[in-house]
Structure formats: C-alpha cells, structure tokens
Amino acid sequence: MRPGQWEPPIELSATEQVIVKRIRRAKLFIFLRQHRHEVFDATFQEELASLYQESPRGQPPVAPALLALATILQAYTGASDDEVIEASQMDRRWQLVLDCLDTEEAPFSKGTLIAFRQRLIDANMDRRLIERTIEVARQAGAFGAGALRAALDSSPLWGAGRVEDTYNLLGHALCKALGVIAVQQGWELAWVATEAKAPIVSGSSLKAALDCNWDEPQERQEALTTVLAALTAVENWLETQPESKADPAVQSNLKTAQQIKAQDVEVSQTGTATLRKGVAKERRISIEDAQMRHGRKSRSVRVDGYKRHVLHDLDSGLVRAVGITPANAPEASVTEAIRADLSAQQAQLAELHIDRAYLSSTLVRERSADLLIYCKAWPVRNGSRFLKTAFELDWEQQRIRCPNQQEMPFEPGGTVHFPAEVCAACPLRERCTSSPHGRSVSIHPDEALLGELRQRQLTAPGRTKLRERVAVEHTLAHVGYWQGRRARYRGDRKNLFDLRRCAVVHNLHVLARLEAFSHAA
C-alpha cells in the first residue's frame, strides 16, 4: 500500500512557539519546522510515495516525508538509528519538526527508518533530496536560470572497516567462513575450525595464536606458511562438505581469503610463499568493507578509505553535486558522476574552478567552447636552462619555435625532438640543453589550456579569480563537520547516501540565510 500525503500544520501552536524561543543553538530545527511544508510539498511527496508499490494489502506505510525529515535530522545531529527513535520520543526539538509533540510512542520504528533509507538508495532518490533544496532555493530567488559557476574539490573520508595486514586479513576471512557454518549447524567455532584442521583461526587473536617474534624475518615467514596452510586446509575440508560450501556467505568469505592471497603473496619457483613487495593496484585492506582502499592526501598523509567530492555553486553557496571514490582513485574519476547529477538538474557549467588533480577529468577534456576552466597550472621547471614556456607554439600550423627560431612540427600529447646537429651548432645551447641528442619538449594533451592558465595567473585579476575556489574548501569543511572524519557506513554507495544528506543539511543552512526565508522566520 502506498502512503498518503503528510499534512502537518503550518502555523506554530502556542506550545511550539515556546519551544522555538528556547532553542538557542541548532537553529535548523526551527527552519525545518517553519518551512517543512515548502521543502516537502505535495508534488515532492508524490515522488517519495513512488518508492512504495500500490497494493490493497497491509497497513499504510509511514509518510515518506516524515522519514525523510528524520533522515536529514540524523545527519545533522550525528544520531544512530536507535538514537533517532529515542530522540523522537524524548527530544522536543525533534518532536517539533516531526509533528509528534508529547508522544508516548515513536512515530516510526527503527526497521521502518532503515527500510526507507534502503529504498532511497535503491531508487537513487537520495540525489533528489539535494535537487529539492536547489529547487526551493531557485523558487526563493537565490539564483536565476543562468549558467553555473562552480568549484570542485575533495577531502579524505576514513573508512569504517578495520584495516588489517595480510596475516589478519587471511585469518579474519577464514574465521568468518567457518563462523557461518558453526552458526548454521549449531556448533562451536573452535570445534568447526579443529575439524577443518585450521584451529589457529578460531581464537580471539591470530597473532597471539601464531606467537612468534615479528622482528625476525624467518619467524614471519613461518607464520605466513602456517596461515596459508590453514587456508588450504579449509579449502580441502569444504570439498567434503558440499552443503556448507554451497552457502553464499561461505563462498564469499572463502573467495575473499583467496583474493587476499592472490594480491599479497608471491610463490617462488621453489614453491616458497613470501609477502609481495610493494602494494597491488587494487589491494583490499579490510574484510568488513571490500571497497576501502589505501590512498594519499599528500606524501605524508595516508588515507584508508574514500575521498568525498563536493561541487559548490560559487554564486548561491549551495552544494550542487557530490561524489564518493575509493581513496586510491584519481580525483578526475568522480567527474562522470558529477556530470550525471548536473544533467539531472539541467544545469550548464559556465565556469569550473578546480585544483590540478581534476585537469585530466572528462569535464575538462570534453568541455564545450563556452566552459571556462580556472586552475593553477602545473609549474614548469628546467633548472637554469630555458623553460618550455620559452618555446612558441603555433596552434594553427601546429609548429613549435625554439628561442633560436628553429621550428619543428608537434602533436598534442607527443614529444618534440630537435635535431642533435642543429642543437650542437646553436649559440644558445648552453642555456638550453646539455643532452648530446638535442633538446626535447613534451607537449601535454591539453597544452593550450595549460598555456592559458599560466598566462592568467601572471595577472592580478587572474590570481583574484583563482582565489574564488577557496569557497569550496569552506563548504567541504562544513559537510565534513556533519559527516565526520570517519565514514558512518561500509561501502561506497551507503557513504554516498550519507554525503548527499550532509550536503542537504548544508543547503538547508544556506536557505535559512536567504532573505526570503529569514524574513519569514
């Protein structure tokens, strides 16, 4: 059965007015109480109702607008699912927004809240929450129909899963696989592990069970051999347990252990297994969260988890789109998702302010002629000799001219090699190159843009324009304050949902500062 419309009163009652006067901080509660009917109007409530199938059976579901408000407040306060239910019964600020003052029972159950969250994710309707705040801002006159001026940036989001080394990853995966069988059969985990000839993985600490001196290479090697022997033993034992082996959870955990072995272990020609030197490209670092990755924010700061990306509207201050990528993914990889979100809003970019990590993105490489890119160019260095900028590029003829007026053809993305004999006779050779093969110049695939960026940052107006990107850093700090330094959920999709609702919280704060709404308050 599909839910009906939620129609709470618009005007504040005498009791609600008293509560509003008592709220000194957390003003978003007041804003949502006063404007919930505008954010969740009848049309938007119909969209949310489409998450439910039409059926004559069952009880009418809780109004999705009510659950959406609770979901937003959860992001705003950082409450857990259990704390949301408690707050709806005990916190008068929550009751003010959810229209359940002095209730003795929560307006919905924990299971209903979790199911609604999953419906939002499955239907990609969490994106519509951001879009709805943008629609309300447009109706309030925050911006017009002009093209979008936006800035894009990212910040680290540490994952919720536990990061483990190879030994513990293997032991953890095997323990989970055997644990599933133990629960199904009603047996003790230690008994199942002993039957599988892998008792070492059933204890509370694998490292304690191995009991070796980890400073000694030979003992580390023996520990690895022991853990790999446990994996082989479990694989062999499962061959004799076809029903248990067929269980999807058992298969998943066994495949995880095999994945860890494949990515972290090398076997020599003599059959000796050793830990791989270096890190595999897509190395799994957590059993609980398969999508977490090692990444770096800088040379000295490693991130174990994800990166969150925010596209900030420079004119209105709203967040227009967000994205989540594994920590090891290039920043540019998020732009396809950002472009899809902008397309859903029918928004056309006029200016894009980015840092250099996004220069290789499709938003830049496949930009229209009308899109202006603002970014600090990569520095050009060549010691005391002529920089690349000393060479003139003729884009019409696609020819490059050196400081001594020698010309060569070039192609974007290629490298130009000036003839060795020409460079050897050049009077400017000492200032240009020391190579016996002559001077070479690499041409970036987007060299024309880089040249434009370099020229722009040489001027005061150009540098002023570059400083506009600072606004997105402030927005990232605001969103990060609500989402937190560490992810609430496991997996990129749920964390994208969390990031989107935190962006909604940011946008609601921007709406609250608008003159149209501040006067109404």
Side-chain angles (χ1 to χ4, degrees):
M1 182 176 291
R2 296 183 68 175
Q5 292 275 322
W6 185 51
E7 298 176 344
I10 296 175
E11 297 298 326
L12 272 68
S13 68
T15 303
E16 289 177 325
Q17 291 176 12
V18 171
I19 296 172
V20 166
K21 288 180 180 178
R22 290 176 178 174
I23 297 177
R24 295 288 180 262
R25 303 180 64 182
K27 297 290 187 178
L28 189 64
F29 287 100
I30 300 175
F31 177 82
L32 285 174
R33 170 56 188 90
Q34 293 173 332
H35 301 284
R36 62 193 177 190
H37 61 285
E38 297 173 67
V39 177
F40 295 93
D41 62 6
T43 303
F44 189 43
Q45 288 200 48
E46 279 296 322
E47 284 188 60
L48 293 174
S50 67
L51 295 172
Y52 299 83
Q53 292 183 352
E54 189 68 63
S55 173
R57 297 182 178 181
Q59 296 293 323
V62 177
L66 177 66
L67 294 169
L69 272 173
T71 297
I72 293 169
L73 289 178
Q74 184 179 29
Y76 180 49
T77 59
S80 67
D81 292 335
D82 287 316
E83 289 168 340
V84 170
I85 305 306
E86 182 178 314
S88 68
Q89 295 174 287
M90 305 292 291
D91 192 325
R92 305 203 85 188
R93 299 173 304 173
W94 281 71
Q95 294 175 349
L96 178 76
V97 175
L98 301 179
D99 191 33
C100 58
L101 280 177
D102 301 320
T103 183
E104 294 184 1
E105 293 186 3
F108 47 81
S109 68
K110 176 182 174 181
T112 299
L113 180 65
I114 294 173
F116 175 73
R117 178 167 63 228
Q118 193 59 50
R119 288 177 187 272
L120 283 177
I121 292 172
D122 291 342
N124 205 28
M125 281 289 284
D126 49 339
R127 183 175 73 180
R128 279 292 294 136
L129 294 177
I130 294 181
E131 294 169 0
R132 181 58 192 153
T133 61
I134 294 168
E135 292 166 2
V136 173
R138 183 182 290 112
Q139 293 165 7
F143 57 91
L148 174 63
R149 298 174 58 251
L152 179 62
D153 203 359
S154 68
S155 66
L157 179 65
W158 276 259
R162 184 172 64 190
V163 178
E164 299 174 295
D165 62 15
T166 303
Y167 304 93
N168 281 323
L169 286 171
L170 286 167
H172 193 169
L174 291 176
C175 182
K176 289 192 69 175
L178 296 177
V180 171
I181 298 173
V183 171
Q184 288 177 343
Q185 303 296 333
W187 299 332
E188 291 291 334
L189 173 60
W191 188 88
V192 176
T194 301
E195 282 292 302
K197 295 184 173 55
I200 198 169
V201 304
S202 64
S204 59
S205 170
L206 178 70
K207 294 289 183 71
L210 290 169
D211 191 24
C212 68
N213 181 1
W214 295 99
D215 293 330
E216 290 294 329
Q218 181 60 36
E219 294 195 35
R220 292 200 301 268
Q221 178 62 47
E222 291 173 359
L224 179 62
T225 302
T226 301
V227 176
L228 292 176
L231 171 59
T232 302
V234 171
E235 291 173 334
N236 293 337
W237 180 72
L238 285 174
E239 292 296 330
T240 67
Q241 308 288 324
E243 291 186 7
S244 296
K245 183 180 180 181
D247 185 277
V250 174
Q251 287 185 351
S252 174
N253 287 300
L254 186 61
K255 286 180 180 178
T256 298
Q258 293 166 342
Q259 175 190 359
I260 302 302
K261 177 183 177 181
Q263 72 182 16
D264 290 351
V265 178
E266 291 180 328
V267 180
S268 67
Q269 294 181 348
T270 60
T272 303
T274 58
L275 290 180
R276 185 190 304 274
K277 293 183 179 179
V279 179
K281 184 177 180 181
E282 289 294 329
R283 182 176 184 268
R284 182 165 178 170
I285 61 176
S286 174
I287 296 298
E288 304 298 342
D289 189 342
Q291 293 166 318
M292 287 173 53
R293 293 293 182 268
H294 286 312
R296 289 200 174 274
K297 180 63 177 174
S298 64
R299 289 185 178 181
S300 60
V301 179
R302 193 183 79 179
V303 181
D304 297 326
Y306 302 95
K307 296 175 189 172
R308 57 185 158 214
H309 307 257
V310 168
L311 185 72
H312 168 91
D313 187 330
L314 290 170
D315 294 317
S316 68
L318 296 166
V319 172
R320 300 298 291 263
V322 296
I324 287 281
T325 57
N328 68 337
E331 270 80 352
S333 63
V334 79
T335 53
E336 282 299 325
I338 296 292
R339 185 154 64 175
D341 286 2
L342 291 179
S343 177
Q345 300 171 27
Q346 298 182 343
Q348 185 69 34
L349 278 169
E351 292 182 11
L352 181 61
H353 297 245
I354 54 176
D355 66 22
R356 292 184 289 234
Y358 294 99
L359 279 174
S360 60
S361 69
T362 54
L363 280 176
V364 176
R365 294 285 177 86
E366 300 174 10
R367 67 189 181 278
S368 65
D370 298 329
L371 176 58
L372 298 177
I373 303 296
Y374 292 93
C375 176
K376 289 185 68 174
W378 293 105
V380 179
R381 298 187 179 94
N382 193 34
S384 60
R385 293 184 170 86
F386 288 132
L387 302 177
K388 181 166 67 173
T389 51
F391 291 72
E392 298 179 23
L393 295 175
D394 184 341
W395 288 97
E396 291 185 2
Q397 302 296 323
Q398 286 206 330
R399 297 186 68 81
I400 183 172
R401 185 180 301 110
C402 79
N404 195 38
Q405 306 304 308
Q406 298 295 320
E407 292 189 5
M408 292 284 292
F410 74 85
E411 290 184 1
T415 301
V416 177
H417 297 276
F418 284 87
E421 58 275 14
V422 173
C423 291
C426 178
L428 302 178
R429 174 183 173 80
E430 293 301 320
R431 297 171 58 191
C432 188
T433 182
S434 59
S435 171
H437 304 293
R439 177 66 187 262
S440 61
V441 179
S442 297
I443 308 298
H444 192 273
D446 221 340
E447 188 69 42
L449 173 63
L450 293 179
E452 179 185 334
L453 298 179
R454 292 188 191 103
Q455 290 300 315
R456 191 182 294 150
Q457 67 193 46
L458 294 176
T459 66
R463 291 190 292 271
T464 299
K465 198 72 175 175
L466 287 176
R467 287 193 288 272
E468 291 187 26
R469 198 182 70 85
V470 172
V472 71
E473 297 175 356
H474 297 164
T475 297
L476 264 173
H478 296 160
V479 171
Y481 172 78
W482 291 302
Q483 190 177 23
R485 180 177 180 269
R486 185 170 297 277
R488 177 191 286 261
Y489 300 108
R490 295 167 183 160
D492 56 2
R493 184 60 187 89
K494 282 190 175 181
N495 282 311
L496 175 60
F497 157 80
D498 195 35
L499 178 58
R500 281 173 169 169
R501 65 177 178 175
C502 289
V504 170
V505 171
H506 170 84
N507 286 356
L508 290 172
H509 278 85
V510 174
L511 287 175
R513 293 193 295 268
L514 291 179
E515 185 176 2
F517 291 106
S518 61
H519 284 177

